[in-house]
């Protein structure tokens, strides 16, 4: 089971995280994937933040996510298991960002 958490804290809300969450909720996701509103992820300066928790303990952290980025995250990360390098949080995924 995978979980997708979209931060809904102050700074992320100012960076349209409510619209990002709404976009995730409009896309048909594969079985076993849930989307929810998350609390502060401690990366406020990089909002809107999206955290994807996978089957393992490792999480993927995307930052500066806009509503238009959501279909790419779903297609690449969720469906094809390919990271969206340009959106990876550089602090939490050093050396992986395009």
């Amino acid at each position: 089971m995978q979980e997708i958490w979209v931060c809904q804290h102050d700074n992320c809300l100012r960076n349209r995280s409510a619209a990002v969450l709404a976009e995730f909720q409009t896309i048909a996701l594969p079985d076993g994937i849930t989307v929810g509103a998350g609390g502060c992820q401690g990366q406020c300066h990089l909002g809107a933040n999206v955290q994807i928790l996978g089957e393992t303990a490792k999480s993927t952290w995307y930052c500066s996510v806009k509503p238009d980025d959501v279909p790419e995250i779903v297609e690449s990360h969720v469906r094809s298991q390919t990271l969206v390098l340009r959106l990876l949080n550089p602090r939490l995924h050093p050396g992986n960002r395009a």
Side-chain angles (χ1 to χ4, degrees):
M1 178 169 173
Q2 276 188 325
E3 297 177 49
I4 300 172
W5 294 103
V6 182
C7 179
Q8 297 298 291
H9 200 278
D10 298 336
N11 287 334
C12 284
L13 284 171
R14 283 192 282 278
N15 286 304
R16 303 188 60 212
S17 66
V20 170
L21 176 60
E23 185 67 23
F24 270 110
Q25 292 171 330
T26 65
I27 294 178
L29 296 170
D31 290 339
I33 309 262
T34 60
V35 176
C40 183
Q41 297 176 8
Q43 303 297 309
C44 299
H45 64 293
L46 295 171
N49 292 291
V50 173
Q51 184 180 14
I52 301 179
L53 292 82
E55 300 277 337
T56 65
K58 186 174 181 178
S59 295
T60 302
W61 297 65
Y62 290 114
C63 65
S64 301
V65 176
K66 307 288 184 252
D68 291 345
D69 296 321
V70 171
E72 181 181 4
I73 292 171
V74 170
E75 188 58 37
S76 293
H77 186 111
V78 175
R79 296 187 192 284
S80 300
Q81 291 78 47
T82 302
L83 297 174
V84 181
L85 297 178
R86 68 182 180 81
L87 295 173
L88 285 176
N89 182 311
R91 182 172 160 247
L92 301 172
H93 298 286
N96 290 319
R97 192 164 170 160

